[in-house]
């Protein structure tokens, strides 16, 4: 009898833990801002995705995200013979479910056209059905009227740009002139477009990185291969829907996928410094000093271009302490470029290790 009770209890407990779990993703806050982990591009059965909207919310929690947008296509709804058309369905189904789970769900849709202008997500909208217009310009205008953040999706997507290089067409230039492009995807799934950094810098808009998932996320980013899905990290004054929106319009974002981080230097530098701490030398002999570097983040950093008499490269493994041995001929700090932290189309973050 006792034994049966124990078995029932173990079952009940395991269910309680598993159903509410949220993965811990070690990506630190930066001074003055909290880091909100987001994915602003995904689909449900209300367009060409394969899952019910609340599944997207459960997946996001399992991946340790703080905010998502379900961005079903307005113009591509291949399941409409089986599922009634409602451009706001994912939002209506998910809104309360997300709130109960401490996840920010952003009301959104995807405007889906040939290139130019290509695909755009309208984020922070009130009513997607009012954005379903014949003319794409009218659709953009209707989104802007609702206060939308317009994100240009996969601008170098090979189905639309066979050479994979994003191009600013006339309509994009007109949109930029109006202030109608607020973010551009640098990463869309595993495609990425270095030129997007230059577009974003020149126009002072947000770099974005998203999954654009259609199927089951854990089948696409399998844990054996991927630590995390593509993410947009947003540096917000607090973790709330309105702060998130403010930060995105202000362009305070960083893109993260695999071990690559992409951001303006003003965000990349403090972020790196929050991940890393350098200890005082713990030992020295005639020749060398020995010190440790702690990396408290999920990102492995690859330091390159070390100065003479110091290690040419150092790998700071994620969530690990790395020992560094340096000649006494060298004085602190050591300088490095971080190979996997990009601060421009062709620029790497420059850092110092002060020991
Ligand atoms: Zn999409």
């Amino acid at each position: 009898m006792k034994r049966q009770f124990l078995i029932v209890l173990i079952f009940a407990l395991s269910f309680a833990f598993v159903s509410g779990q949220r993965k811990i993703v070690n990506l630190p806050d930066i001074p003055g801002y909290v880091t909100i982990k987001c994915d602003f591009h995904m689909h449900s059965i209300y367009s060409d995705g394969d899952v019910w909207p609340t599944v997207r919310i459960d997946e996001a929690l399992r991946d340790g995200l703080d905010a998502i947008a379900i961005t079903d296509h307005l113009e591509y709804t291949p399941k409409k013979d089986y599922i009634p058309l409602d451009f706001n369905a994912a939002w209506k189904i998910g809104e309360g479910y997300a709130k109960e789970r401490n996840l920010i769900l952003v009301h959104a849709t995807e405007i889906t056209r040939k290139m130019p202008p290509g695909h755009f997500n309208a984020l922070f909208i009130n009513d997607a059905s009012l954005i379903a217009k014949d003319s794409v310009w009218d659709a953009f205008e209707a989104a802007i009227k609702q206060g939308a953040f317009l994100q240009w999706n996969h601008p170098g997507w090979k189905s639309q740009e066979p050479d994979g290089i994003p191009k600013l067409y006339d309509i994009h230039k007109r949109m930029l002139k109006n202030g109608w492009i607020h973010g551009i995807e640098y990463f869309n799934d595993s495609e990425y477009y270095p030129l997007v950094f230059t577009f974003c810098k020149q126009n002072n808009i947000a770099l974005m990185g998203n999954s654009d998932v259609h199927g089951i996320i854990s089948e696409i980013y399998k844990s054996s291969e991927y630590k995390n899905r593509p993410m947009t990290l947003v540096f917000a004054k607090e973790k709330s829907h309105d702060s998130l929106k403010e930060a995105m319009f202000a362009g305070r974002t960083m893109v993260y996928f695999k071990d690559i981080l992409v951001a303006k230097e003003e965000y990349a530098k403090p972020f790196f410094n929050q991940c890393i701490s350098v200890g005082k030398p713990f030992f020295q002999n005639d020749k060398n000093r020995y010190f440790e570097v702690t990396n408290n983040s999920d990102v492995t950093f690859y330091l390159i271009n070390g100065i003479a008499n110091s290690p040419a490269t150092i790998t700071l493994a994620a969530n690990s302490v790395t020992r560094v041995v340096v000649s006494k001929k060298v004085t602190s700090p050591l300088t490095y470029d971080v190979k996997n932290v990009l601060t421009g189309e062709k620029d790497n973050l420059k850092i110092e290790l002060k020991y």
Side-chain angles (χ1 to χ4, degrees):
M1 195 60 187
K2 242 183 176 173
R3 198 190 156 94
Q4 268 178 337
F5 174 75
L6 197 67
I7 290 166
V8 169
L9 185 71
I10 288 167
F11 261 106
L13 281 176
S14 60
F15 192 76
F17 290 134
V18 169
S19 64
Q21 70 181 194
R22 184 199 284 264
K23 180 170 130 182
I24 295 173
V25 177
N26 287 318
L27 298 170
D29 296 336
I30 63 172
Y33 298 112
V34 295
T35 299
I36 303 186
K37 300 177 269 290
C38 314
D39 183 354
F40 294 114
H41 195 167
M42 60 187 74
H43 297 273
S44 80
I45 57 160
Y46 284 94
S47 60
D48 57 347
D50 298 327
V51 309
W52 186 250
T54 56
V55 174
R56 290 287 176 236
I57 292 162
D58 291 332
E59 287 177 334
L61 294 172
R62 280 171 186 274
D63 284 352
L65 297 183
D66 304 304
I68 63 165
I70 302 173
T71 54
D72 282 315
H73 299 285
L74 290 174
E75 299 87 346
Y76 185 56
T77 49
K79 298 176 169 78
K80 62 176 173 294
D81 291 347
Y82 307 99
I83 297 161
L85 261 195
D86 180 342
F87 296 130
N88 294 301
W91 162 255
K92 287 189 278 194
I93 292 163
E95 186 193 6
Y97 191 85
K99 277 201 177 120
E100 288 166 7
R101 284 157 182 80
N102 196 21
L103 185 98
I104 300 168
L105 180 66
V106 172
H107 193 170
T109 190
E110 181 164 6
I111 300 162
T112 315
R113 306 294 170 114
K114 286 188 296 206
M115 187 71 82
H119 297 191
F120 280 76
N121 283 351
L123 309 171
F124 303 103
I125 59 170
N126 308 313
D127 186 348
S129 65
L130 299 177
I131 301 170
K133 305 272 189 197
D134 291 338
S135 137
V136 71
W137 194 259
D138 290 350
F140 290 146
E141 194 160 38
I144 293 293
K145 238 185 221 163
Q146 295 182 26
F149 177 104
L150 283 178
Q151 167 190 284
W152 185 8
N153 300 338
H154 46 69
W157 184 33
K158 291 212 171 87
S159 305
Q160 293 192 325
E161 289 290 5
D163 63 4
I165 297 171
K167 291 162 195 75
L168 288 177
Y169 293 88
D170 253 1
I171 188 164
H172 301 121
K173 289 178 189 159
R174 276 198 288 145
M175 290 177 79
L176 285 168
K177 209 168 158 198
N178 283 5
W180 284 9
I181 301 180
H182 307 103
I184 311 179
E185 280 184 340
Y186 182 97
F187 264 112
N188 174 282
D189 184 18
S190 49
E191 272 201 7
Y192 66 102
Y193 319 103
L195 191 55
V196 164
F197 205 122
T198 300
F199 292 169
C200 287
K201 222 175 213 174
Q202 281 169 352
N203 297 286
N204 199 26
I205 56 181
L207 287 155
M208 310 296 287
N210 303 304
S211 68
D212 198 359
V213 65
H214 289 71
I216 298 165
I217 196 119
S218 56
E219 289 300 302
I220 294 155
Y221 306 104
K222 288 184 195 286
S223 58
S224 53
E225 247 181 289
Y226 295 98
K227 206 176 300 164
N228 292 302
R229 72 165 91 184
M231 290 183 200
T232 305
L233 308 179
V234 182
F235 303 115
K237 289 175 184 156
E238 57 178 32
K239 190 188 154 186
S240 72
H241 176 275
D242 293 352
S243 278
L244 174 70
K245 185 174 173 181
E246 183 277 329
M248 288 167 64
F249 275 104
R252 293 197 303 270
T253 63
M254 175 180 251
V255 174
Y256 168 52
F257 187 43
K258 294 189 258 195
D259 265 335
I260 300 172
L261 289 165
V262 189
K264 288 185 202 154
E265 194 192 359
E266 62 187 293
Y267 307 123
K269 191 157 233 170
F271 186 86
F272 177 85
N273 288 335
Q274 290 298 108
C275 293
I276 296 297
S277 58
V278 184
K280 293 278 159 228
F282 60 85
F283 178 68
Q284 54 183 315
N285 55 27
D286 295 345
K287 274 197 202 152
N288 296 320
R289 288 192 178 87
Y290 297 72
F291 65 95
E292 289 177 332
V293 183
T294 302
N295 178 1
N296 275 314
S297 79
D298 280 0
V299 186
T300 293
F301 292 103
Y302 301 93
L303 311 188
I304 56 169
N305 299 331
I307 55 171
N309 295 312
S310 71
T313 64
I314 302 176
T315 299
L316 302 174
N319 297 301
S320 301
V321 178
T322 302
R323 184 187 72 137
V324 180
V325 183
V326 62
S327 162
K328 277 186 158 174
K329 289 182 197 154
V330 178
T331 49
S332 170
L334 303 181
T335 58
Y336 285 95
D337 296 337
V338 190
K339 194 180 171 191
N340 57 321
V341 181
L342 308 176
T343 54
E345 197 184 325
K346 289 173 187 146
D347 305 317
N348 296 85
L349 179 67
K350 296 187 182 312
I351 58 105
E352 288 185 341
L353 299 179
K354 282 190 194 123
Y355 58 95

